[in-house]
Amino acid sequence: MLKVVFLFLLGVQVAYGQVKPDSAWMNQKFSMFIHWGLYSQLGGVWNGKPVSSGYSEQIQSHGGIFSDWYAAVARDFNPVDWDADAVVKLAKDAGMKSVVFTSKHHDGFCMYHSRLTDYNIVDATPYKRDVMKELAEACRRQDMRFGVYFSLIDWHFPQAYPISSHNADPLTPEHYEYNLRQVEEIMTGYGPVSEIWFDMGSLTPEQSRGLYALVSRLQPQCMISGRLGNDCSDFSVMADNEYPDYKMGVPWQTAASFFDETWGYRSWQERGEVADKRDEKIRSLIKVVSRGGNYLLNIGPKGDGSVVPFEEQVLLGMGKWLGKYGEAIYGAKANPFDYVPEWGDVTARGNNLYLFVERGKRPERIVLEGLRGRVKRAAYLGDGALNIAEEKGVWVVYPVANGSVDSPVDVICVELEEGYEILPLHAWVAGRMLTWENAVPVNAYSSMDYYTGFRSVIAYNWMIKTAVRQLKPVLFYTEEERGKKIVLAVDGEEKEVVLDGGSRVKTQAPRVVWGNIFWKRTGGLLGSIPAVSAVDGVPEGEGWQLCGDLQPGLKWELPVGERRSVLFWQEMVADRDGDVVVEIGSGNGVMVLLNGQVVTTHSSGRGMEYNKEKIILPLKKGKNSLLIKVYNRFEKHLCFSFQPESGLSVFRLETEIYPLKSGSWHTCGVRLAHPETRNSAMRLNNLKIRY
Ligand code: H79
């Protein structure tokens, strides 16, 4: 009998949220975000003119509105069409499992009855009703989970930082204290809160930990969003409207608005066709769920409290789709294959695989490479059966035109008998040496704040094929990893190993011709991966300059703004395949790509201006390209250094014996024994394992 084997392991040590994550949260899949506040009354218009820059919920900032003029809007804010029960019913009908409501956005206006300021819906408007309380109660009546959004920045609080373009300022001690007390009000006065969606600001680690501890003390089950910063959270949150193209080994969420340009109501928004938007958002939901995440889709009610009919119709359309296709979404796991197929996406649940096939990309044959098991049947979910056959040990599905009714993509259910196994294609190694290059990485999204977010690697997994009955893996590590305590797991048996001691091994580096180093300025967001092409050792495109005065190993300083990056590119020609070592000096964050593949990426914490590390680069014979992105979060200048190392100090460490389970395929994985946080990059890219 086969067991279901997902190489994508969730067995990652957590430093925060030992009791959490909450499995009900993990299984929500689809939830409603509500951006509703004083800004909704303006609907993206000031002085009769549309304010087109920035999001409409930030109209005070982008429209350059004086604080007293903005606050005066509250006198007209009388949302007589607000109906909490109707909003919750809409969420239900849309197939959503929770509602997340803006208790306070950046403008500082509270949509609940705060006792700490009279700048709130009860005390400052003619409406005088605590709409958040009404929503929380409507949720309870209708068995819907209730969550809150809370802005960590506040444009109304006198002791907070003033309005900035990026919304990622620090918090003054007074402002932090004010936030603590408001969060306490929210966590004690509105019943159970399923998640708290902190947003923006750039907190110190102590501040993030303080808010995390407060929420956890008052409501231990409440899931805390990654936007609290410093990886102090229960789930990771992508940047606004960002959809990752990778799976994660941690709970995560994409929050999305109907239109990328705004979250709050914008009266002059061109909306297009309901059916087009419904199809777009169904595809987005599939994309998120097939990568293991939750989708939080926003509505922006009007100033009178009513829901925009376009948004209502789209949501009802999605609910109808989920009524038929929900079994491929709810309770489903991420795509169990270690690749994303060209024709669409995959989810898995129980003994079923669900294939979402884009009609425009429908192949004649869908080859389920890596699937081992016995297929009982295949059919369009809720519609007709279709052909599936085992050909030379590989399952092949034969799709037909428009197999699914009322769906933008075809949904195929492949039902297997008694479970199945999925072998990763890229993760087993003939050479018996396990490295980052042939691993299936387990990813997380690590964020110190909104701009310092990146795809971190928190574990490596491999599948190995061997006929022996036991293994005694040998580890190879360098000075960089010395002292790290790792967990080495073979066939599920975990042992802790300290990377220390062992014998020194000599290695022979290939002969390398190092090309010129070029540099170029680029934008913020540490995590965005730049594409660079080159001809004859020179990168193509605007802005590249030769690093004329860069001396090997010496610090090179460049004036740049905060949240800016600089790219460095160089070609290396090797006379054979083999490892070289380079020493790279960088600042608040770095990403190193060899031949387009990320070797390592990490941020160095708050205010770390400059530090060096040695990185093994596995070169291939001939031309290789090295791209380094150095990120500046806080400083006035950016630092960089680069030096090829002549020697390579590698230590060889033997481990204990691991018994192997029966069968020819076995799992092997490494991770840190005690990661600082569940999202922290483990930085084991120099580690190799021979088995
Ligand atoms: O509440 C919504 C936004 O108002 C809030 N987060 C979501 C959930 C937010 N505040 N600041 N930011 C997000 C930072 C956003 C920065 C950017 Fe952009 C978004 C950079 C590029 C896209 C907005 C649009 C600023 C420049 C263009």
Side-chain angles (χ1 to χ4, degrees), residues 509-510 512 514 572 578-582 615-619 645 648:
V512 178
W514 301 86
M572 301 158 298
D579 289 346
V580 294
V581 179
V582 293
I615 295 175
I616 295 178
L617 299 177
L619 300 188
E645 296 279 306
L648 169 57

Side-chain angles (χ1 to χ4, degrees), residues 33 35 54-55 57-58 62 102 105-106 149 153 165-167 197 199-200 227 240 255 260-261 263 450-451 525:
F33 214 173
H35 273 66
Y55 300 140
E57 70 276 14
Q58 300 181 21
H62 292 275
T102 42
H105 206 269
H106 306 342
Y149 168 104
I153 58 167
S165 62
H166 50 76
N167 301 328
W197 217 95
D199 196 18
M200 302 312 293
R227 296 265 182 104
D240 292 4
D260 286 1
E261 305 83 38
W263 300 73
Y450 186 92
Y451 298 94
L525 290 180

Side-chain angles (χ1 to χ4, degrees), residues 47 81 201 205 351 383 522 563:
N47 272 340
D81 290 334
N351 284 338
D383 294 306
T522 182
R563 298 175 311 283

